[in-house]
Amino acid sequence: MKQGRYILSLDQGTTSSRAILFSGRGEIVGMGQKTFQQHYPQPGYVEHDAEEILSTQIYAMHAALENAGVSADQIDAIGITNQRETTVAWDAQTGKPIYHAIVWQCRRTAPECEKLKAEGWEDYIHETTGLILDAYFSGTKMKWYLDNVPEAKALAAEGRLRFGTIDTWLIYCLTKGKSYVTDVSNACRTMLFDINKLAWDEKIMQRLGIPASALPQVVQSSGIVGYCSSEILGCEIPIAGIAGDQPSALFGQCCFDAGMAKNTYGTGCFVLMNAGDKPVMSKSGLLTTIGWQLDGKVAYALEGSAFNAGSAIDWLRDGLELIEKPSEADMLAESVEDCGGVYFVPAFTGLGAPYWDMYARGGVMGMTRGTTRAHFARAVLESLALESYDLFHAMENDIGMKIKELRVDGGASKSRFLMQFQCDLLECSVLRPECLETTALGAAMLAGLAVGMWDGLDELRTIWKSRTTFQPEMSKEWVEQKVAKWHKAVERCLAWEKD
């Protein structure tokens, strides 16, 4: 490890852009963050302004350096981790987006997905890409641009149209258009990428009408792919690590061995398990995805995603105004003995794994005249753990064994109540690390490996340390009763918006 040198990790999320500066010991020495606007032009539509994402990310980079008192020439490399599936379309000649970015949560392409299912594409897409045919992924978002933004077709005909997930957009902008790339962990979330051949799939591209010229070069997750322009921070800095947010967190949790699993409690809940060097095709509604590619070797993963988790806590604060800050939800939850029979299903934008119902919507069941805001807050927190239970249980079914340990991160993992409740449901150890910023740390680790900050995975393992370990305290009968009621509530929310 190098002393006195740093890695700058850009953590571009769904609601804010952050930059975190890490030392050679994996310690945070500086941080910058700026939120940006969410756009909801109509029900089920979610958009971001890609130029605002770029400007907030650059602001966060400067803020992190200023906060740490570090100059740009002390930074060995930049790592990038990003909200996956969110898609930007821009003109290669002007570098300007032609429309807002379409966010991973957006459901506008659900009808196109239904059409593809009716045409019999479901099995081919699953076998080729490892994904479920769903509006969550980028491919149908790209088709939406081509079908609905007149400029898109004209640019495609001239070879000037560029599509990219947020990693691609940031790298393109930071390198002043010199690098047009994505890594395997992001490419595999487009629904256009063959995870066995590690190449764009021409058959799916042709069906969706997406030209090869509009897709970036796919690279491995660790390696120099370009240089951040000196106009940004004052000197050129290699961009050397790329990973989507959830694979990056898996790497940052040092889940380098097959069978190791983590859960990130962010805007959504994302359970990932390292599946080894060969893809494991799920029979339980999970996704087969790529964790990272390092030194030419691919680590595959099984993934379960719940679309709304931390966003449900935000809704308690911003939508219902029941709390002023997230920690209040914890205090309310612990002020009552149980949820009072109330169950909340946070299906604001449909349900992800293992249900994959684009038409599900949120619901609250079991309320009585005796229900208080404390019961309601507790039900919302419990729903995050219950969603994760479904994902974790599906994962165990796919691998045919019980997982003994879960590593956790993300904002909501700070909740003692939630982590103990999660531990009780899963009946396994839950480990919360000293550094909860594992998404940013993973990107930093990938970049650091590429420039010699760290020698290899064994050295990285020494960086990860557990701060709190939770052990299960409740009976199997209690788990079965909670889960049965939860599934009863979920059942009532399925296909709500479907005619």
Side-chain angles (χ1 to χ4, degrees):
M1 117 185 15
K2 294 183 182 177
Q3 300 295 331
R5 306 293 298 177
Y6 305 95
I7 302 292
L8 181 61
S9 184
L10 311 188
D11 184 359
Q12 204 300 301
T14 307
T15 58
S16 72
S17 298
R18 303 192 307 153
I20 301 179
L21 202 62
F22 288 95
S23 71
R25 293 189 178 87
E27 296 165 341
I28 295 172
V29 295
M31 186 184 298
Q33 180 170 4
K34 194 169 182 64
T35 58
F36 53 86
Q37 189 174 352
Q38 308 293 304
H39 299 269
Y40 306 102
Q42 64 187 67
Y45 279 44
V46 190
E47 296 176 356
H48 290 159
D49 181 337
E51 291 190 297
E52 187 184 9
I53 284 176
L54 175 63
S55 66
T56 55
Q57 189 63 75
I58 292 173
Y59 170 91
M61 293 164 73
H62 282 277
L65 266 64
E66 188 176 339
N67 178 255
V70 167
S71 60
D73 59 10
Q74 291 176 271
I75 300 170
D76 276 4
I78 292 171
I80 294 179
T81 183
N82 56 286
Q83 50 166 322
R84 296 172 301 167
E85 299 94 18
T86 296
T87 308
V88 187
W90 69 93
D91 180 347
Q93 191 166 300
T94 66
K96 296 289 184 184
I98 60 172
Y99 187 86
H100 275 166
I102 302 175
V103 180
W104 59 273
Q105 298 162 314
C106 189
R107 312 310 294 166
R108 76 184 64 192
T109 65
E112 181 64 33
C113 292
E114 292 292 355
K115 191 175 175 184
L116 288 164
K117 286 177 185 177
E119 292 174 16
W121 280 88
E122 204 163 4
D123 287 346
Y124 181 81
I125 284 173
H126 180 59
E127 290 161 9
T128 304
T129 70
L131 305 178
I132 305 294
L133 213 172
D134 191 84
Y136 181 23
F137 306 109
S138 311
T140 55
K141 294 175 172 61
M142 296 176 191
K143 179 170 171 50
W144 188 93
Y145 282 117
L146 289 162
D147 291 345
N148 294 277
V149 182
E151 196 179 348
K153 272 193 175 173
L155 290 173
E158 294 178 37
R160 287 168 50 187
L161 181 65
R162 297 290 180 266
F163 285 131
T165 42
I166 297 298
D167 59 310
T168 302
W169 166 245
L170 288 178
I171 293 167
Y172 189 88
C173 293
L174 294 176
T175 62
K176 301 298 180 183
K178 291 179 182 175
S179 297
Y180 181 44
V181 299
T182 190
D183 91 301
V184 289
S185 74
N186 280 290
C188 73
R189 308 296 290 194
T190 59
M191 214 168 71
L192 303 171
F193 191 71
D194 187 325
I195 61 170
N196 299 289
K197 296 177 181 176
L198 303 180
W200 298 118
D201 185 80
E202 292 182 11
K203 189 174 175 181
I204 304 173
M205 287 164 58
Q206 188 174 4
R207 166 58 184 83
L208 296 178
I210 296 164
S213 61
L215 294 174
Q217 176 191 356
V218 182
V219 297
Q220 61 177 19
S221 309
S222 181
I224 296 173
V225 297
Y227 292 83
C228 179
S229 168
S230 59
E231 293 176 29
I232 307 294
L233 291 174
C235 65
E236 281 197 343
I237 303 169
I239 298 172
I242 317 169
D245 50 6
Q246 302 315 318
S248 189
L250 188 69
F251 198 84
Q253 288 276 29
C254 294
C255 293
F256 302 143
D257 302 319
M260 297 183 74
K262 70 90 195 172
N263 191 8
T264 296
Y265 301 81
T267 301
C269 262
F270 300 88
V271 181
L272 267 74
M273 184 194 76
N274 187 324
D277 59 4
K278 290 183 176 61
V280 175
M281 303 310 286
S282 176
K283 298 179 178 67
S284 308
L286 300 178
L287 305 176
T288 303
T289 194
I290 294 175
W292 52 81
Q293 186 180 22
L294 186 62
D295 297 328
K297 296 175 184 175
V298 174
Y300 290 91
L302 273 174
E303 175 174 345
S305 309
F307 297 151
N308 291 281
S311 57
I313 300 172
D314 291 344
W315 174 69
L316 277 180
R317 180 191 62 202
D318 305 329
L320 297 185
E321 298 182 354
L322 285 182
I323 57 174
E324 290 185 3
K325 53 186 179 181
S327 59
E328 278 185 49
D330 249 35
M331 289 187 287
L332 285 168
E334 292 184 318
S335 72
V336 287
E337 286 187 11
D338 54 41
C339 63
V342 179
Y343 284 78
F344 171 66
V345 181
F348 299 131
T349 51
L351 285 170
Y355 304 100
W356 293 108
D357 187 340
M358 296 180 281
Y359 303 101
R361 289 298 178 266
V364 186
M365 269 64 76
M367 287 194 295
T368 67
R369 186 61 185 83
T371 298
T372 67
R373 73 183 187 123
H375 292 122
F376 199 94
R378 183 169 178 133
V380 169
L381 283 178
E382 287 187 1
S383 74
L384 275 60
L386 286 158
E387 285 183 307
S388 299
Y389 169 90
D390 282 342
L391 303 175
F392 200 79
H393 190 61
M395 205 164 276
E396 289 185 330
N397 284 341
D398 277 340
I399 63 171
M401 61 181 283
K402 186 160 179 61
I403 301 170
K404 296 178 182 178
E405 173 188 294
L406 179 68
R407 298 185 175 191
V408 299
D409 53 64
S413 70
K414 295 173 186 173
S415 165
R416 190 211 66 80
F417 168 79
L418 176 59
M419 291 302 97
Q420 186 58 53
F421 188 82
Q422 186 73 86
C423 176
D424 290 336
L425 279 178
L426 298 181
E427 301 174 272
C428 78
S429 301
V430 169
L431 277 62
R432 185 167 61 192
E434 282 189 5
C435 178
L436 290 177
E437 300 292 351
T438 55
T439 301
L441 179 59
M445 287 174 167
L446 288 164
L449 286 173
V451 296
M453 174 72 83
W454 298 290
D455 290 333
L457 300 185
D458 286 341
E459 186 175 1
L460 292 180
R461 283 186 177 93
T462 66
I463 289 173
W464 190 93
K465 292 177 178 65
S466 174
R467 171 174 288 180
T468 313
T469 300
F470 298 87
Q471 298 293 353
E473 298 173 352
M474 304 302 281
S475 68
K476 196 170 191 68
E477 291 73 28
W478 176 89
V479 174
E480 289 170 353
Q481 288 171 9
K482 291 296 294 186
V483 170
K485 277 286 181 73
W486 160 253
H487 287 159
K488 198 173 176 181
V490 169
E491 189 181 336
R492 282 152 173 76
C493 296
L494 297 174
W496 184 263
E497 285 295 316
K498 200 165 189 177
D499 293 335

